[in-house]
Amino acid sequence: VSTFGEMLGKLSNTRLLMLLDEFDRVETDEFRRSIAELIKTLSDRAAPAQVVIAGVAPDLSELIAQIPSIRRNVLGVLVPNMSDEEVNEMLDIAGRRTGLTFQDDARELIGLASLGLPYLVGLVAQHASLLVTAEGEMEVTKAAVRDAIRKAHSELSGRIAAKTLYAISRALQEGQLIELGKLAHAALRSGGVLPDEMVPDFIRQQVEGGKFPALIEPVEGDPLNRWHFTDDGASIYIWLNALCAD
């Protein structure tokens, strides 16, 4: 890191922008610390370089926790979920490129399922499109979107840790689908974090008792005492599960 930072410090007559995407998928604290050290080195050397890190809200707290002094060198920017107009614009672009059309109620359901997240818009719309074209049709219906939600939900189960799936299954068996659905909805609408006041008492008791250690927990070191799902795919899985049960 120090050698790389030194090299960047020697840059002149230019500026360098480095983009690190999906930072939330980083599995080791060692890598997070390396990035924190790089940011500090760039600042100390006044290097003409910037690092843009794309991830979820807890990443910022975790990064600063590595080297607290970099706080003054880091700016957190919350990227809001897309509006209904932006979701429809994505679907319009897909339609122009493929010749597909989306019925109004299909668009509405895609918007509800995605909550304005580009990844979910693409995932659900793609599955729905494949379903209708397999039948020789070129119009995406609400029924196709419902089937697509179920398919996406099933697909996501293979990307979530077994212990997380077990915790979700136990919660659903105990009739907590509505509460978990509300938490998942809120997390997906607010960058992956939950305000402390929204977490119900029974969830706190279960977490404190070790019942759901793999599902939800406080964000470590967060000054606002917020919570988050420990598996970044859990909130999406729970939300789609709630829609499937609707």
Side-chain angles (χ1 to χ4, degrees), residues 22-205:
E22 296 189 343
F23 198 74
D24 50 298
R25 296 186 180 273
V26 173
E27 297 180 352
T28 64
D29 286 337
E30 181 180 357
F31 183 79
R32 290 191 180 90
R33 183 167 183 82
S34 295
I35 298 302
E37 289 176 351
L38 176 61
I39 293 172
K40 186 176 187 304
T41 299
L42 294 178
S43 175
D44 292 344
R45 295 179 179 276
Q50 293 176 299
V51 182
V52 177
I53 300 174
V56 297
D59 290 333
L60 182 59
S61 299
E62 292 170 358
L63 184 64
I64 293 175
Q66 301 295 328
I67 304 179
S69 63
I70 69 169
R71 183 183 298 275
R72 64 180 181 274
N73 308 119
V74 176
L75 173 65
V77 179
L78 177 62
V79 179
N81 295 30
M82 295 191 304
S83 65
D84 291 340
E85 290 75 15
E86 290 169 322
V87 171
N88 281 321
E89 185 177 351
M90 277 191 67
L91 298 177
D92 289 339
I93 292 172
R96 288 195 296 270
R97 291 180 177 178
T98 64
L100 288 164
T101 58
F102 294 82
Q103 293 182 356
D104 289 344
D105 53 359
R107 288 172 177 266
E108 184 178 347
L109 186 53
I110 291 173
L112 175 62
S114 68
L115 296 177
L117 297 173
Y119 165 71
L120 280 179
V121 174
L123 180 65
V124 174
Q126 180 184 45
H127 280 311
S129 299
L130 290 173
L131 287 170
V132 297
T133 54
E135 298 294 328
E137 302 292 337
M138 293 297 290
E139 184 176 49
V140 178
T141 63
K142 183 176 182 179
V145 174
R146 285 195 176 277
D147 288 339
I149 292 172
R150 296 186 184 95
K151 189 172 181 63
H153 174 260
S154 177
E155 181 180 293
L156 287 171
S157 65
R159 303 179 185 177
I160 299 176
K163 62 180 181 180
T164 303
L165 287 175
Y166 174 75
I168 294 173
S169 177
R170 284 289 302 271
L172 298 183
Q173 289 174 9
E174 295 178 10
Q176 296 163 356
L177 174 61
I178 294 178
E179 289 292 345
L180 287 180
K182 290 178 180 178
L183 293 175
H185 178 275
L188 292 172
R189 295 291 296 179
S190 57
V193 293
L194 299 163
D196 181 68
E197 63 271 15
M198 186 175 181
V199 180
D201 289 339
F202 80 90
I203 290 288
R204 299 174 191 272
Q205 294 168 2

